[in-house]
Amino acid sequence: MNNMKSTSSYEKINCQTQQQYMDPVECDDPFQIVMEKAGNHGRFQLIYNLIFVAALGMSGAMIYMNIILALNIPEHWCTVPGREKTNFTLSEWRRLTLPTHKDNRDTETYSSCEMFDTNFTEIDDWQNWNLTSAQTKVTACQHGWSYDQTWYEKTIPTQENWVCAKDLFVTNVFVVARITEVVGSFLLGQMGDIFGRRFIYYISVILCSIGRLASIITTTSYIWFLTFSGLSALTINSLFQAPQIIGMEISREQDRSTIAIYQSFGWSIATTVMPLLFWWLRDWQPFMWCTTIPTALILLFSKYVIESPRWLISKQRFADAIIQFKKIAKINGRPFDMTEKELIQIFSTAENETTYGIASLFSGWRLARNTIIMGFSWCVVAVSYFTLVLFSSRMAGNPFLNFLLQSVVEIPAYVLGKYLDVQYEHVIMGLAAFIKFLNAVTFFTASLQGMEIYPTCMRQTGIALGAILANAIGIVAPYLVYLGTTVDIRSPYYILGTLFLFGAIGAAFLPETLHKKLPDTMEEARQFGKQEKFFSLPKAPTKAKEAKTMDAARDATAKKLNQTKYAP
């Protein structure tokens, strides 16, 4: 922890013992010494990351994103009785019975919500029927709607007829979800730093599963469907955040980016598989059940759910921290005989800091600046991500392949691969996919860097603030899609391009976190990056220097713990 200097007779682990080997921001992290005794890169970390970071990231992505596909509105038009008495094809019948207008691509298309005001069932002599005079007056659909079933047999809007006068029903579902995400991130993010990550994990999995399962059986009542959809979104961000933060806090510094990739890959694999599953099932109900139940099943692995010992130490709950260390050590096959008394001695100068929720993230110029820039970065990432995802299912062509393309590009983005698809009818889709590729790189970096610049006592609150701002601005994403699909398809891209520009400028002023220890105290977070030059590349410590540093730290720890007066 910070400020490990002491007037007591034994030697402390501090920068005086390490400064010849490491940069000052790397010093004073006795937690890693203790964590190494239990194992900070062993079987437990592998199991934990595979289940609660990768697998939960996969199931969480499905429960989060499945509603987008289930709420897709395929091409539709007014049902006009009378065709059964004729030999007209569907195309010929639509030409006779439906007016046309220009769509968002400025092309002539049949109306989705209007029909000619004529009783076509009464026409017996089509050869002598006056087509022109009959097509002078239009009216709203009188007999319901017909839906293009090329790709879907049934979606929620086609089942409940959420079109035309109810065309904002779908948009409102997404908006309500964004609002409840903001509320949930605000409450649960701060609760995670007050009551612990494990407590928030259980609440998130349970409420998210209940909300989505209940929404599946309440589509006939729009208010109840809206309510349960909002409940599912309430805890969705903490569903991802709490387990990943624990994973990072019990692992080596060099494993932090790998842990972030675990979750990112889980997300991308899920969003890649989902459209293929829906394409095969063709019905929203079995699709929603199949993509919701896996999140609830994660509860079966509760024996591996631990509380972050790093967080427990920050709250001076040393006895509880010892219990967690022993759980980790047992699965890692390591002996862990450190006592509570010894742990207290190592962290004897650590104080239980008083924090004031989100307001604490603005205490000090440097921390406030980092918080503001990270918040804006999250806003840019979120609004662009969800606009592109929602847009993918509204574009021309196969909606499943559109969604799939948007998801597939995320995987190489996480390992900085390259992808681009350029063909005329798919130019917009190809460019959108490339934007999504860059967006995925930004999403990964922002997620990782956000966890690394905030202190242990405020880490989940800091990430929650990013989610709050992201979802607050994300509320406009459904309306951007609505603007693009009803007015001009180019409009959302103009807006997103402007946001990307300002986001790139702001992100350039964030501190580098590579090869830096996780800050534990507010003061460490306030000083983070203070000595960095604007144009600088981080250098990894050599293995020799790392070994010398760890040996010096272990010697210092052993020297003070081997004293008789501190014997257990």
Side-chain angles (χ1 to χ4, degrees):
M1 303 294 287
N2 197 33
N3 298 327
M4 291 295 290
K5 299 176 182 178
S6 176
T7 57
S8 55
S9 58
Y10 53 83
E11 182 182 0
K12 291 283 188 181
I13 305 173
N14 54 48
C15 286
Q16 274 74 36
T17 64
Q18 301 183 39
Q19 62 185 1
Q20 61 177 318
Y21 305 119
M22 303 176 69
D23 187 271
V25 295
E26 304 271 354
C27 300
D28 300 330
D29 193 12
F31 177 82
Q32 279 299 338
I33 308 300
V34 180
M35 191 68 240
E36 191 179 19
K37 289 175 66 66
N40 59 4
H41 182 67
R43 186 168 178 264
F44 182 88
Q45 279 80 6
L46 179 61
I47 293 173
Y48 184 90
N49 290 329
L50 287 177
I51 296 175
F52 301 107
V53 180
L56 186 58
M58 186 183 301
S59 64
M62 289 194 292
I63 205 171
Y64 189 27
M65 304 291 282
N66 59 10
I67 195 68
I68 295 176
L69 289 171
L71 287 176
N72 193 278
I73 304 176
E75 183 184 0
H76 53 281
W77 56 89
C78 297
T79 298
V80 182
R83 181 188 164 207
E84 63 278 4
K85 297 181 179 181
T86 72
N87 294 321
F88 292 135
T89 64
L90 177 60
S91 178
E92 292 171 335
W93 187 250
R94 291 173 67 186
R95 182 174 58 82
L96 291 173
T97 60
L98 303 177
T100 60
H101 66 89
K102 289 188 176 181
D103 64 9
N104 64 320
R105 293 177 175 82
D106 201 32
T107 58
E108 200 76 16
T109 186
Y110 293 112
S111 173
S112 299
C113 303
E114 292 180 328
M115 56 178 283
F116 291 123
D117 191 11
T118 301
N119 188 346
F120 291 95
T121 60
E122 295 180 349
I123 301 173
D124 295 321
D125 187 1
W126 285 96
Q127 290 183 344
N128 297 318
W129 178 64
N130 191 331
L131 181 66
T132 303
S133 62
Q135 294 176 322
T136 57
K137 187 177 179 181
V138 298
T139 184
C141 298
Q142 301 295 309
H143 310 283
W145 293 265
S146 298
Y147 297 93
D148 183 358
Q149 294 186 320
T150 301
W151 307 113
Y152 309 93
E153 286 185 4
K154 192 189 301 180
T155 66
I156 297 176
T158 66
Q159 175 179 292
E160 305 299 333
N161 288 324
W162 291 350
V163 294
C164 297
K166 297 180 179 180
D167 64 349
L168 276 176
F169 274 30
V170 171
T171 298
N172 291 337
V173 171
F174 296 130
V175 171
V176 168
R178 296 289 82 75
I179 293 173
T180 55
E181 279 188 60
V182 171
V183 175
S185 297
F186 178 80
L187 295 176
L188 295 171
Q190 296 180 90
M191 288 172 64
D193 285 324
I194 297 173
F195 301 109
R197 304 14 173 152
R198 180 170 57 180
F199 173 69
I200 297 304
Y201 157 78
Y202 280 117
I203 289 179
S204 300
V205 173
I206 293 171
L207 291 186
C208 191
S209 301
I210 291 175
R212 186 63 82 222
L213 290 171
S215 67
I216 296 174
I217 59 177
T218 57
T219 55
T220 54
S221 172
Y222 183 68
I223 297 300
W224 280 113
F225 177 81
L226 205 62
T227 300
F228 286 119
S229 295
L231 177 64
S232 180
L234 183 73
T235 61
I236 192 65
N237 285 311
S238 53
L239 180 76
F240 295 102
Q241 294 165 4
Q244 186 179 13
I245 290 173
I246 294 175
M248 287 190 171
E249 291 179 339
I250 63 172
S251 301
R252 303 179 305 174
E253 174 271 326
Q254 56 264 49
D255 291 338
R256 295 201 301 253
S257 61
T258 303
I259 294 169
I261 287 180
Y262 272 129
Q263 188 172 90
S264 298
F265 270 35
W267 176 285
S268 296
I269 292 171
T271 55
T272 301
V273 171
M274 273 201 314
L276 298 177
L277 180 62
F278 200 179
W279 195 357
W280 176 53
L281 295 173
R282 295 178 57 84
D283 191 314
W284 74 270
Q285 282 188 316
F287 166 73
M288 289 287 284
W289 285 108
C290 289
T291 53
T292 298
I293 291 176
T295 297
L297 294 179
I298 294 290
L299 290 171
L300 297 176
F301 298 93
S302 296
K303 64 174 291 187
Y304 294 105
V305 179
I306 64 165
E307 184 53 86
S308 168
R310 191 163 199 148
W311 176 82
L312 291 169
I313 290 173
S314 75
K315 297 298 181 181
Q316 298 188 330
R317 292 170 54 182
F318 300 107
D320 292 333
I322 290 291
I323 294 173
Q324 305 307 312
F325 280 128
K326 288 183 177 180
K327 286 182 180 179
I328 296 171
K330 181 179 180 181
I331 294 177
N332 281 338
R334 292 201 175 198
F336 188 86
D337 54 2
M338 184 173 287
T339 65
E340 179 184 355
K341 192 173 183 179
E342 291 173 324
L343 195 63
I344 292 173
Q345 183 54 32
I346 294 175
F347 297 95
S348 57
T349 59
E351 297 181 359
N352 192 354
E353 291 185 286
T354 300
T355 57
Y356 302 95
I358 289 176
S360 297
L361 298 176
F362 297 90
S363 59
W365 155 245
R366 188 167 299 278
L367 180 57
R369 185 202 67 176
N370 292 343
T371 300
I372 292 170
I373 295 175
M374 282 302 307
F376 183 73
S377 298
W378 273 108
C379 289
V380 174
V381 171
V383 72
S384 57
Y385 185 93
F386 288 109
T387 299
L388 293 170
V389 168
L390 292 174
F391 226 174
S392 68
S393 59
R394 303 290 183 90
M395 290 180 172
N398 187 328
F400 304 112
L401 291 182
N402 290 344
F403 196 99
L404 180 66
L405 180 61
Q406 292 273 354
S407 302
V408 165
V409 296
E410 294 181 10
I411 298 176
Y414 294 134
V415 291
L416 298 181
K418 295 181 180 180
Y419 183 85
L420 183 63
D421 178 11
V422 187
Q423 293 181 11
Y424 176 67
E425 172 49 28
H426 303 299
V427 165
I428 294 178
M429 192 62 217
L431 292 175
F434 185 65
I435 295 171
K436 184 77 177 303
F437 166 82
L438 300 177
N439 180 269
V441 175
T442 308
F443 183 89
F444 171 79
T445 306
S447 176
L448 177 60
Q449 194 166 27
M451 293 186 183
E452 292 178 323
I453 66 173
Y454 295 122
T456 300
C457 57
M458 292 292 292
R459 187 159 291 127
Q460 189 156 353
T461 299
I463 296 300
L465 176 61
I468 290 170
L469 297 175
N471 286 292
I473 192 67
I475 291 172
V476 308
Y479 293 113
L480 286 179
V481 175
Y482 187 78
L483 176 67
T485 54
T486 59
V487 181
D488 191 326
I489 195 171
R490 298 168 294 182
S491 301
Y493 297 102
Y494 293 141
I495 298 172
L496 294 181
T498 304
L499 289 175
F500 279 134
L501 176 62
F502 286 108
I505 295 172
F509 293 92
L510 285 172
E512 179 57 67
T513 59
L514 184 62
H515 306 308
K516 305 295 192 299
K517 75 177 272 300
L518 291 175
D520 286 306
T521 67
M522 292 298 299
E523 184 58 29
E524 287 182 346
R526 295 186 190 104
Q527 299 300 320
F528 198 93
K530 186 175 182 179
Q531 304 301 323
E532 286 184 2
K533 296 180 181 179
F534 187 82
F535 292 104
S536 63
L537 293 175
K539 294 181 179 180
T542 64
K543 292 184 178 180
K545 288 184 177 181
E546 280 187 337
K548 290 180 180 179
T549 300
M550 296 301 289
D551 289 342
R554 289 193 190 95
D555 291 344
T557 304
K559 182 175 181 180
K560 64 183 180 182
L561 292 182
N562 287 336
Q563 298 181 65
T564 304
K565 63 178 180 177
Y566 296 115

